């Protein structure tokens, strides 16, 4: 993947705007996609987060504690104010659904899974599957009218490309990832 594979700022905004906000699933997905796009987290790193991994200053989420990469190196990654607001809305949805501890980005419905299976049934509070996230990202990109192939890793490359363009510092980009 290269800088040409990254989304432009306009495409990223269109992508995020195309995420449904009608129900809790949409607000969860919006928080997840915003976190990945604004922080450069890999899908596995984002899905491994628990609500306890959110760092707050007062009532505002400012950072997430993650284990980066395949080695699981612990790091504290800053979040944007846009991401913090979306995380807060998703946390309110989690609380309303009675989902306490456990994976931050989890299932919230009961019933049959569509498009992929988790033993055939959805159980509230179960960690999202990376396959679901890949399919959801592709679906949202198509709804946004983005012709190129978009994956969760595209969001990571988009973050890195935008950071590099803003700072001109590749070392800073590498440290942020």
């Amino acid at each position: 993947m290269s800088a040409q594979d990254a989304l432009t700022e306009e495409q990223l905004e269109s992508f995020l705007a195309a995420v449904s906000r009608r129900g809790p699933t949409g607000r969860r997905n919006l928080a997840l996609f915003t976190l990945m796009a604004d922080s450069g987290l890999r899908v596995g790193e984002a899905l491994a987060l628990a609500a306890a991994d959110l760092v707050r200053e007062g009532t505002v989420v400012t950072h997430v504690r993650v284990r980066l990469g395949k080695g699981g190196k612990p790091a504290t990654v800053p979040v944007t104010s846009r991401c913090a607001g979306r995380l807060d809305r998703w946390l309110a949805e989690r609380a309303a659904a009675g989902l306490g501890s456990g994976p931050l980005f989890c299932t919230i419905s009961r019933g049959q899974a569509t498009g992929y299976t988790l033993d055939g049934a959805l159980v509230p509070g179960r960690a999202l599957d990376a396959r679901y996230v890949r399919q959801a990202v592709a679906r949202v990109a198509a709804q946004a009218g983005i012709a190129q192939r978009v994956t969760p890793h595209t969001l990571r490359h988009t973050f890195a490309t935008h950071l590099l363009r803003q700072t001109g510092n590749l070392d800073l980009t590498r440290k942020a990832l």
Side-chain angles (χ1 to χ4, degrees):
M1 199 167 282
S2 65
Q4 293 104 348
D5 296 325
L7 300 175
T8 65
E9 289 185 31
E10 295 78 22
Q11 286 174 315
L12 178 59
E13 293 309 313
S14 294
F15 173 83
L16 294 173
V19 178
S20 171
R21 291 162 173 81
R22 285 181 286 175
T25 300
R27 287 185 282 279
R28 176 203 61 210
N29 290 351
L30 182 61
L32 173 60
F33 299 160
T34 303
L35 176 65
M36 291 168 51
D38 286 2
S39 68
L41 293 184
R42 293 175 177 90
V43 67
E45 294 164 349
L47 295 181
L49 292 172
D53 294 324
L54 301 177
V55 178
R56 295 179 178 274
E57 283 185 20
T59 60
V60 178
V61 175
T62 59
H63 294 78
V64 292
R65 286 187 206 97
V66 297
R67 293 196 143 320
L68 295 176
K70 294 179 173 95
K73 179 182 173 188
T76 303
V77 177
V79 299
T80 62
S81 59
R82 162 174 83 172
C83 182
R86 291 173 180 175
L87 285 169
D88 279 337
R89 284 189 284 287
W90 165 235
L91 289 171
E93 292 286 349
R94 278 179 54 87
L99 301 169
S101 62
L104 177 60
F105 298 107
C106 60
T107 56
I108 51 178
S109 301
R110 293 191 182 279
Q112 285 300 116
T114 57
Y116 73 100
T117 60
L118 292 171
D119 301 328
L122 289 174
V123 178
R126 188 178 278 179
L128 288 183
D129 186 276
R131 292 172 294 172
Y132 167 82
V133 176
R134 283 191 297 274
Q135 290 172 356
V137 166
R139 185 175 54 250
V140 170
Q143 292 168 345
I146 300 171
Q148 75 188 64
R149 180 173 179 255
V150 180
T151 67
H153 210 69
T154 305
L155 300 177
R156 178 176 168 80
H157 276 259
T158 299
F159 165 77
T161 301
H162 293 182
L163 183 63
L164 179 60
R165 286 183 181 146
Q166 289 171 2
T167 65
N169 187 338
L170 186 58
D171 290 332
L172 177 61
T173 303
R174 289 186 182 136
K175 288 176 187 169
L177 297 176

